[in-house]
């Protein structure tokens, strides 16, 4: 009897949910019913990308243009400029909405500052897909597609530990410094948390010492992901905290910053260190092969762009897009498709990049 009551209640709840799903966008579901009414081939798909802070963004823009057209839609691909990136992106998204885009794919410069634009976009009937970086504190987001950012951080943290052990087999403790990305990029704290998930226990037990004492994300941040900002901070730390102390390793969130950190260490005349990275930028692959940069992460942009276009194509047919999980953006649980990031050192680079025409030759 009890079972029956529960079942009946459950059925009623499902029916109610289904009803509310039909009539309006409501509750905690980011996209209401997830599916769209569908739209025709030839419709406009907008892509708003941030300023070109790393190679992956440049690659993404080119790939989006061709992939959207190959899928049978019209493409409007825009980048934010460097001087006023947030207002640029706001204006670009509004313009895509005005032009009647059916899907707007956004790699946000600052994921917390596009709330008004995505609300307008959805109200005009567009689906909003966050690309690589989630949009925070807004309910007006339908989907998120990215490489698993927390995992990226964990892989970087673990690689830093592995690299230190391999490079300094006689040491029991290591001096390190920590860097994180741009505070406006929602990925930056996630990479950092993932890395600290691995590193914090080793800081607590004394294996790792952050000599500058700068372990808070506000102290480690790199404004705008700019190489110069990381280089300046590393210069200052080396001057202020490393008189006679040796620096052994640095957690760097990406390749652009890793190279800037290496430049700083070199010009201070310090011995080689273990440094992490991300993105598999062409400029870093020779450094990986020579061991100057210990590791990077491969996030194949071709796969991420394809996934975003596959989502748009599913939506064009009136289907829900395929997802693997959800991500809490502070306002809703966003249906998410995560791809797997791959850790790369000189030991597996040739194998990992073997199908990548641009990177494979660099491992020879
Ligand atoms: C991306 C990284 C990139 C960084 C700087 C992040 O949001 O996930 O791949 O290195 O932005 O462009």
């Amino acid at each position: 009897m009890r079972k029956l009551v529960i079942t009946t209640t459950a059925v009623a709840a499902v029916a109610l949910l289904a009803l509310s799903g039909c009539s309006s966008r409501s509750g905690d579901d980011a996209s209401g019913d997830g599916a769209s009414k569908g739209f025709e081939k030839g419709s406009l798909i907008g892509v708003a990308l941030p300023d070109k802070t790393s190679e992956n963004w440049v690659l993404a823009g080119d790939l989006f243009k061709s992939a959207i057209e190959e899928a049978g839609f019209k493409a409007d691909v825009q980048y934010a400029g460097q001087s006023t990136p947030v207002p640029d992106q706001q204006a670009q998204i509004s313009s895509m909405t005005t032009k009647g885009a059916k899907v707007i794919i956004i790699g946000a410069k600052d994921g917390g500052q596009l709330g008004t634009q995505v609300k307008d976009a959805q109200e005009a009937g567009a689906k909003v897909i966050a690309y690589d970086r989630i949009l925070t504190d807004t309910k007006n987001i339908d989907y998120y597609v990215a490489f698993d950012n927390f995992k990226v951080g964990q892989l970087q943290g673990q690689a830093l530990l592995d690299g230190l052990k391999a490079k300094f087999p006689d040491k029991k403790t290591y001096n390190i410094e920590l860097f994180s990305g741009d505070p406006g990029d929602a990925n930056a704290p996630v990479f950092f948390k993932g890395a600290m998930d691995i590193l914090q226990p080793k800081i607590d037990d004394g294996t790792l010492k952050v000599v500058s004492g700068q372990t808070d994300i506000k102290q480690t941040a790199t404004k705008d992901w700019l190489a110069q900002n990381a280089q300046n901070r590393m210069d200052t730390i080396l001057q202020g905290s490393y008189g006679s102390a040796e620096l052994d390793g640095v957690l760097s969130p990406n390749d652009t910053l890793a190279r800037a950190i290496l430049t700083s260490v070199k010009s201070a005349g310090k011995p080689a260190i273990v440094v992490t990275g991300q993105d598999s930028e062409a400029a870093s692959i020779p450094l990986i092969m020579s061991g100057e940069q210990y590791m990077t992460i491969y996030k194949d942009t071709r796969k991420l762009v394809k996934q975003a276009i596959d989502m748009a194509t599913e939506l064009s047919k009136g289907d829900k897009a395929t997802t693997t999980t959800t991500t809490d953006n502070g306002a809703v649980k966003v249906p998410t498709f995560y791809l797997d990031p791959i850790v790369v050192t000189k030991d597996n680079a040739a194998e990992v990049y073997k199908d990548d025409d641009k990177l494979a030759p660099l491992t020879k």
Side-chain angles (χ1 to χ4, degrees):
M1 183 61 196
R2 201 179 137 76
K3 203 170 176 187
L4 184 71
V5 172
I6 291 170
T7 314
T8 318
T9 318
V11 168
V14 168
L16 212 84
L17 269 176
L19 265 177
S20 68
C22 288
S23 56
S24 72
R25 186 170 281 140
S26 67
D28 273 344
D29 181 355
S31 56
D33 61 4
S36 71
K37 285 195 236 86
F39 50 89
E40 292 178 352
K41 286 280 159 102
S43 299
L44 184 69
I45 295 184
V47 182
L49 298 173
D51 45 343
K52 300 173 182 175
T53 43
S54 49
E55 211 175 81
N56 54 316
W57 294 112
V58 181
L59 203 58
D62 296 342
L63 289 167
F64 266 122
K65 271 183 212 135
S66 49
I68 289 173
E69 264 141 41
E70 269 162 37
F73 304 104
K74 259 203 322 248
D76 180 8
V77 179
Q78 302 290 339
Y79 281 96
Q82 260 212 340
S83 49
T84 53
V86 173
D88 281 1
Q89 214 167 31
Q90 291 170 335
Q92 286 161 351
I93 294 167
S94 297
S95 145
M96 289 167 191
T97 301
T98 311
K99 287 187 218 156
K102 296 297 181 204
V103 176
I104 302 183
I105 298 170
I106 304 170
K109 165 66 186 177
D110 184 332
Q113 296 202 56
L114 300 174
T116 311
Q117 290 71 30
V118 291
K119 186 165 185 284
D120 292 348
Q122 277 194 340
E123 278 168 5
K127 291 284 169 184
V128 173
I129 301 178
Y131 171 88
D132 189 78
R133 302 173 172 179
I134 197 141
L135 306 173
T136 50
D137 301 320
T138 173
K139 290 189 173 184
N140 301 106
I141 166 171
D142 294 282
Y143 293 100
Y144 176 42
V145 55
F147 284 89
D148 184 337
N149 297 303
F150 190 76
K151 189 160 175 207
V152 167
Q154 287 180 313
L155 292 172
Q156 291 171 327
Q158 188 56 51
L160 181 60
L161 284 180
D162 296 346
L164 287 167
K165 273 191 207 144
K167 191 172 181 70
F168 305 108
D170 299 333
K171 288 194 182 179
K172 293 268 177 306
T173 63
Y174 312 93
N175 293 339
I176 64 160
E177 293 302 329
L178 307 169
F179 282 72
S180 56
D182 180 59
D185 175 357
N187 285 352
V190 185
F191 297 147
F192 193 67
K193 278 187 200 138
M196 291 308 264
D197 183 49
I198 307 290
L199 299 178
Q200 191 64 53
K202 298 293 177 185
I203 295 175
D204 294 342
D205 74 11
T207 308
L208 300 175
K209 186 173 179 206
V210 182
V211 176
S212 69
Q214 299 180 10
T215 54
D216 186 89
I217 190 153
K218 289 206 181 75
Q219 299 170 306
T220 60
T222 309
K223 177 99 182 74
D224 293 329
W225 286 102
L226 276 181
Q228 194 57 53
N229 294 339
Q231 195 170 327
N232 292 347
R233 179 166 171 258
M234 190 77 250
D235 287 348
T236 309
I237 289 176
L238 286 172
Q239 277 156 24
S241 310
Y242 286 85
S244 58
E246 280 172 27
L247 173 67
D248 300 316
V250 174
L251 173 78
S252 163
N254 79 1
D255 289 351
T256 307
L257 304 191
R259 294 194 301 278
I261 289 161
L262 287 170
T263 303
S264 167
V265 171
K266 254 194 197 164
S267 59
K270 297 281 181 190
I273 58 160
V274 175
V275 66
T276 60
Q278 165 176 209
D279 292 333
S280 294
E281 291 198 344
S284 274
I285 307 308
L287 304 179
I288 300 277
M289 299 317 288
S290 70
E292 250 182 284
Q293 179 181 327
Y294 178 66
M295 61 81 72
T296 185
I297 300 277
Y298 190 40
K299 303 195 300 186
D300 191 338
T301 305
R302 298 169 304 179
K303 286 198 180 147
L304 195 57
V305 167
K306 181 177 182 305
Q307 196 56 49
I309 304 299
D310 286 353
M311 272 186 171
T313 304
E314 287 175 303
L315 294 172
S316 77
K317 294 178 182 151
D319 296 333
K320 287 189 183 188
T322 307
T323 53
T324 58
T325 183
T326 59
T327 307
D328 190 338
N329 78 339
V332 276
K333 289 196 166 59
V334 185
T336 299
F337 195 106
Y338 265 150
L339 284 86
D340 245 353
I342 302 172
V343 63
V344 184
T345 65
K346 68 166 177 284
D347 296 335
N348 68 347
E351 170 63 22
V352 173
Y353 301 141
K354 71 176 187 305
D355 297 324
D356 190 314
D357 296 346
K358 194 180 66 173
L359 300 181
L362 301 172
T363 63
K364 300 270 161 26

